[in-house]
Amino acid sequence: MGAQGMVRAGWPPLAARWLAGWLTLWLAWATVAQAAPPEAPTLTVAGWLERLYAATRNRAYSGTFVVTRGDEVAAARVTHVCDGQHQIERVEALNGPARVTWRYDDEVLTLWPRRQVGLRERREVLRLFPGPSRVPGLDVDQHYRVLARGAQRVAGLDAWVVEFAPRDEWRYGYRVWSEQTTGLALKLQTVGPGGQVLEQMAYTDVQLDVPLRMDALLRQMADTQGYRVQQPNLTKTTLQALGWRFNAGVPGFQWLGCWQREDASARERPPVQCVLTDGLASVSLFIGAGEPVPARVSGAMQVRSLRVGEHTLTAVGEVPAATLQRLLAALEREP
């Protein structure tokens, strides 16, 4: 038999085997595609916050995340290490002015390399979300409800999508993409009325359980040679001690405390910062001097200001403008 005859004779069995192999693969792919994905845990809002927080308390990870606020886009490189008791994090801005921020528990160090200056602060209150609130009596589930939004992939990892929807008009909603195995928040959106995305933070790449040591990062954080580092002093105080009172504010928002800068001795009235939270959103109320600042909006962040006698009150927070205005109106001078 010639070569042409051999090809004609051998082709049908070979084609059959080839088709059978592809059919087997196709059936396997179809089975996987039709398999139901794992369901997200049935948790309350407080339960989801605990899960998100536990991911940062028990994991070392690094990655690049991008923050989008309206037309503003900022990127940063994050390195995070935790030993179960303490956390240290390095955040390096990748655009805009060169800046590196270190966080070790409640100590924050920000360095500006080009100017060789730094600012070291101890903050009793850092950004709470997506961590659980430790304010006694604060029940976040009274003001938000959980909506499951399925599963998606972010930065190459499978995540459950959950939405914390507000129960009233005084706060925004949030969508969170929580990595299915660890619980790490891979993506976060602040959602306004009608589902409008006001602000977004998302990892574009992330590595879990990276081989990093806390002592090595602590040594890097301590190396501020050549920098002029300022460290303002903050004194905890109360509205009553400052001659103010707070009438009925916004449902769900409770006081975390007030702090006054001691290093502003040259000012007639040193500025005061008071912080309130509802367990997800937080608002800062500033009491100081000077003229009221213009109203501003940047993504989810709102700024409102007004004059009360010789004082200027300014409210800043990722909440609707009406919430800030109501909180400002609740501040009054003691008679």
Side-chain angles (χ1 to χ4, degrees), residues 9-127:
W11 171 248
L14 179 62
R17 289 195 298 272
W18 182 82
L19 288 173
W22 273 105
L23 181 61
T24 301
L25 287 175
W26 182 85
L27 290 173
W29 291 336
T31 301
V32 171
Q34 293 176 1
E39 293 186 0
T42 303
L43 300 173
T44 62
V45 177
W48 274 106
L49 294 181
E50 288 287 353
R51 186 177 193 270
L52 295 166
Y53 182 66
T56 66
R57 296 289 296 177
N58 299 294
R59 295 282 174 177
Y61 55 87
S62 65
T64 304
F65 74 90
V66 176
V67 180
T68 305
R69 295 188 181 101
D71 296 332
E72 300 176 7
V73 178
R77 185 72 182 172
V78 179
T79 303
H80 179 100
V81 178
C82 181
D83 62 6
Q85 294 182 336
H86 303 284
Q87 297 185 65
I88 186 169
E89 187 172 78
R90 182 182 186 272
V91 181
E92 179 183 3
L94 299 180
N95 58 346
R99 183 181 74 256
V100 177
T101 300
W102 294 88
R103 297 189 181 98
Y104 178 63
D105 293 341
D106 63 351
E107 181 180 354
V108 180
L109 172 65
T110 304
L111 301 175
W112 289 269
R114 291 184 180 177
R115 293 189 289 154
Q116 291 289 285
V117 296
L119 177 65
R120 188 187 303 273
E121 300 177 282
R122 291 193 67 85
R123 300 183 186 175
E124 295 184 48
V125 181
L126 294 176
R127 179 177 174 85

Side-chain angles (χ1 to χ4, degrees), residues 295-314:
R296 295 200 301 271
V297 180
S298 176
M301 185 69 68
Q302 300 264 358
V303 179
R304 293 295 185 274
S305 185
L306 60 83
R307 189 79 170 170
V308 177
E310 298 179 349
H311 298 81
T312 295
L313 309 181
T314 302

Side-chain angles (χ1 to χ4, degrees), residues 182-210:
T182 65
L184 185 67
L186 300 176
K187 183 176 176 180
L188 170 65
Q189 290 179 342
T190 305
V191 184
Q196 179 188 6
V197 177
L198 303 175
E199 185 172 313
Q200 175 175 288
M201 296 181 289
Y203 280 97
T204 57
D205 66 83
V206 63
Q207 292 181 313
L208 302 176
D209 299 322
V210 292

Side-chain angles (χ1 to χ4, degrees), residues 236-247 255 257-259 272-276 285-287 313 327 330-334:
K236 196 164 186 177
T237 184
T238 65
L239 284 176
Q240 292 75 19
L242 297 168
W244 292 84
R245 64 185 180 189
F246 191 76
N247 292 321
W255 288 99
C258 296
W259 292 264
V272 176
Q273 179 183 9
C274 299
V275 181
L276 303 94
L285 298 179
F286 296 91
I287 304 174
L313 309 181
L327 290 173
L331 274 176
E332 295 181 353
R333 291 291 288 167
E334 291 280 4

